[in-house]
Amino acid sequence: MFDYEALAQAMGELEEDTVVEILEGVMADGGSEAEKAMEACQKGMETVGALFEEGEYFVGDLIYAGELMTQAVGILKPALAGAESSGPKTKMILCTVKNDLHDIGKNIVKAMLEAGGFDVIDLGIDTPAEKIVETAKAEGVKIIALSGVLTLALDSMKEAVNAIKAAGLDCKIIIGGAPVSADACANVGADEWAHSPQKTVQTCKTWAAA
Amino acid sequence: MFSKEFNDKVQLFWDASRFENTTVPNVSNDYTWKVSDSKYSYKEAYFDTKKMAKIVCENHERYNYDAYLDLGTRNHFPQMQALGGGSYVLNEETGGINVTDEPTMQPEDYKEFAKDPMRYFNIIFQRKFPNLKTEDFVKATTAFLQASGYEKDISETFATKYNRPRMVTTSASVQPAFEVFHNSFRGIAGVSTDMRRYKQDLKDACDAYWNAMGRTSLQRAMQAKDKNYVADVYTAIIAHQVLNRKQFEEFYWPQLKEIINTCQANGKMVYLYVEGTIKRFAEYFQDIPKGVAIMHLEQDDIFEMRELLPNMCLAGGMTTDMLGNATPQECVERAKKLMSELGPGYVMSQNKMLSFKNDCRRENQLAVNDCVRSFRF
């Protein structure tokens, strides 16, 4: 029996050594509690999100948290692959829009969304509207998150939103990144906007539960 | 020796930094939008200094700012091409320029870097451009000399023909060392993990860089003569966007404070160009006396920042959202609100670097600049 409270706390405090030590212990023990360990890591990521909202953590901490979470998944993966799933996850699309190559913000949001229980289809950077529409159709996705850093990205976001609507897809769309604002959101025609990954996760959870 | 008009323009910004201005200085934060506003393509502009000179001169003749943050010297395409390509990605259709984030250092390098940063620069250079031949060096040297000649000539043209100073100059650019590791050597993701995994090594490397180069550049800027620019030091504040408060205090603030204190001690001015937001660190700037700094804001609410920093001359506030999407009248209303509510100690400028064609409409910028010229407190 491992101390999953300590694991969640270590993940929340970004204590890499402790996180890795406990996870390796779980795996050395046969990996039967890998899912419990993953839940503890996800709980820790919620703490990370909360500390970000409170202003104690900032972007660098989220990047590090994302890396730590990826590392945790890597350690537990052999055991998780064979374990019973705790239920279907909500699929969603995430990408940086066309003409923008920035991926750090997108990757932070991806890590937080995955920790929040989403099955994220990451279309990468410089993603054309057609690719978003095609994927949404093929995967039956209902939630789409568009990321960008350049002001130029707002044009691409608008193009993507228009293409999604023109294709008749019933999707909720959230935009995020440095240039977005309430005005930009209205102009782009998205349903919501966010500067923080925490708001993105909360919004997507609300949409998934609706 | 500069003209009276030139000196008056410089004085206008100094007066604003001291909250003693009776008119509002207007500094252009237009970097690459002026290319889309011209008849030239981006490629023509970046690879032909004569065309770039024509673009910036016509830009001044059309908009008539009091000073310029850029005169077409940003984005070193010919130099990078001569060195074997580099990391610029230009989209001619949109004017978008992306730079690929390619770390040239690994965490294991910090210790060696700290021992001798100058020597390590050569190693980093070789990593960034691994296949250079002698002829490439010759081409690159030529490209760098041409770029430097362009910068000198265009600055002189603006100072003598148009009687306009540059706001800042490349040679007086001084940043905390953390910026160098964040922006170049290790990248954003790299420093974010290194601050936790290799904290002391990163700190030592930052200190070594500052001692070897940063402080020297700062001292050189204090002694500059016959300046054709306004601010004695230019500090772009970018990397704070990844730092939490504790990290800001450990990795960033001591050197930024040294820059500000050195300017204060020498009666000089620093232009603090802030990317992203800086509201959460506002308290660190509350004790800076008037007349030492101008802080250019990108994403902060400038009215809120005036409340938090009544001591600080602020620049920015004219949003690209409005310049690109609103009507001229709406932009003029915004300009009037900025000037009347922020009062003396405010410098009109675009909040973000004008970069892409939809960042601004010509009629909006013309209306704003007319309004600024006729405004009096």
Side-chain angles (χ1 to χ4, degrees), chain B residues 66-117:
Chain B
D66 296 314
Y68 291 82
L69 279 160
D70 174 72
L71 292 177
T73 56
R74 194 175 160 90
N75 302 314
H76 307 142
F77 283 95
Q79 299 96 306
M80 289 300 112
Q81 193 177 62
L83 286 168
S87 49
Y88 285 111
V89 183
L90 169 65
N91 182 328
E92 183 66 61
E93 188 192 337
T94 62
I97 300 168
N98 283 281
V99 179
T100 51
D101 191 13
E102 293 167 346
T104 44
M105 273 182 75
Q106 296 304 316
E108 303 77 52
D109 295 328
Y110 283 133
K111 281 193 168 69
E112 285 300 310
F113 182 95
K115 282 182 196 164
D116 188 350

Side-chain angles (χ1 to χ4, degrees), chain A residues 13-14 16 56-61 63-64 67 71 99-102 104 150-152 155 178 181 187, chain B residues 89 91 94 96 98 188-189 192-193 196-197 241-244 247 280 299 320-321 325 352 356 358-359:
Chain A
E13 291 172 1
L14 303 176
E16 183 178 29
E56 188 168 334
Y57 282 174
F58 213 63
V59 173
D61 300 309
I63 293 172
Y64 186 70
E67 184 152 315
Q71 198 181 345
N99 295 323
D100 198 328
L101 309 184
H102 292 86
I104 289 179
L150 308 174
T151 51
L152 185 66
D155 297 338
S181 61
N187 193 34
Chain B
V89 183
N91 182 328
T94 62
N98 283 281
I188 299 168
S192 295
T193 52
R196 288 182 178 273
R197 285 184 184 149
Q241 293 178 93
V242 303
L243 301 174
N244 63 37
Q247 291 164 340
R280 65 201 174 96
Q299 288 181 30
T320 52
D321 265 351
N325 298 302
K352 291 174 185 292
F356 310 111
N358 291 342
D359 284 350

Side-chain angles (χ1 to χ4, degrees), chain B residues 18-285:
Chain B
R18 298 179 183 119
F19 289 61
E20 292 168 359
N21 53 315
T22 54
T23 61
V24 177
N26 189 1
V27 62
S28 166
N29 191 21
D30 177 357
Y31 277 77
T32 56
W33 179 78
K34 54 183 166 273
V35 179
S36 71
D37 191 41
S38 78
K39 63 182 178 185
Y40 295 109
S41 69
Y42 289 96
K43 201 169 177 185
E44 284 175 318
Y46 296 130
F47 285 90
D48 185 337
T49 52
K50 282 185 184 152
K51 285 175 181 154
M52 184 57 96
K54 204 160 187 295
I55 290 167
V56 296
C57 288
E58 285 177 0
N59 178 270
H60 170 70
E61 287 163 14
R62 182 172 297 125
Y63 298 103
N64 191 15
Y65 290 91
D66 296 314
Y68 291 82
L69 279 160
D70 174 72
L71 292 177
T73 56
R74 194 175 160 90
N75 302 314
H76 307 142
F77 283 95
Q79 299 96 306
M80 289 300 112
Q81 193 177 62
L83 286 168
S87 49
Y88 285 111
V89 183
L90 169 65
N91 182 328
E92 183 66 61
E93 188 192 337
T94 62
I97 300 168
N98 283 281
V99 179
T100 51
D101 191 13
E102 293 167 346
T104 44
M105 273 182 75
Q106 296 304 316
E108 303 77 52
D109 295 328
Y110 283 133
K111 281 193 168 69
E112 285 300 310
F113 182 95
K115 282 182 196 164
D116 188 350
M118 293 304 283
R119 180 184 148 269
Y120 225 78
F121 262 81
N122 290 330
I123 295 170
I124 289 167
F125 183 84
Q126 286 165 32
R127 284 179 188 168
K128 193 167 176 69
F129 306 106
N131 303 313
L132 283 183
K133 300 183 185 71
T134 308
E135 56 265 34
D136 299 325
F137 273 106
V138 175
K139 279 186 204 162
T141 305
T142 307
F144 274 101
L145 285 173
Q146 277 174 351
S148 142
Y150 167 78
E151 184 165 356
K152 184 171 173 291
D153 291 347
I154 197 72
S155 304
E156 204 169 297
T157 299
F158 267 66
T160 56
K161 182 179 173 187
Y162 297 126
N163 303 305
R164 290 295 184 279
R166 300 177 70 178
M167 193 67 216
V168 295
T169 188
T170 319
S171 58
S173 172
V174 186
Q175 292 178 285
F178 185 79
E179 289 283 358
V180 179
F181 294 95
H182 169 276
N183 300 339
S184 307
F185 298 161
R186 288 288 292 136
I188 299 168
V191 291
S192 295
T193 52
D194 296 347
M195 280 188 289
R196 288 182 178 273
R197 285 184 184 149
Y198 306 93
K199 183 176 172 181
Q200 194 56 49
D201 291 347
L202 174 55
K203 279 183 83 170
D204 291 346
C206 285
D207 287 345
Y209 179 89
W210 181 251
N211 292 333
M213 275 166 268
R215 190 172 284 131
T216 312
S217 302
L218 181 59
Q219 291 305 330
R220 199 169 49 235
M222 295 300 103
Q223 287 149 21
K225 302 255 187 295
D226 301 324
K227 299 184 299 129
N228 55 17
Y229 50 94
V230 177
D232 300 279
V233 174
Y234 172 63
T235 300
I237 301 176
I238 301 166
H240 70 292
Q241 293 178 93
V242 303
L243 301 174
N244 63 37
R245 178 168 291 267
K246 197 174 162 203
Q247 291 164 340
F248 181 76
E249 284 179 0
E250 284 179 332
F251 287 96
Y252 205 90
W253 178 241
Q255 291 172 11
L256 180 55
K257 191 166 187 283
E258 186 174 332
I259 294 170
I260 295 166
N261 287 350
T262 304
C263 285
Q264 184 184 344
N266 288 276
K268 305 290 185 187
M269 185 211 290
V270 56
Y271 199 87
L272 302 170
Y273 191 97
V274 178
E275 290 200 2
T277 61
I278 197 148
K279 181 184 157 191
R280 65 201 174 96
F281 297 128
E283 68 187 76
Y284 293 87
F285 300 89

Side-chain angles (χ1 to χ4, degrees), chain B residues 335-355:
Chain B
K336 284 180 181 168
K337 179 178 161 70
L338 286 165
M339 293 187 288
S340 56
E341 289 189 21
L342 296 171
Y346 168 63
V347 172
M348 173 61 72
S349 194
Q350 300 87 356
N351 63 339
K352 291 174 185 292
M353 291 177 176
L354 285 192
S355 303

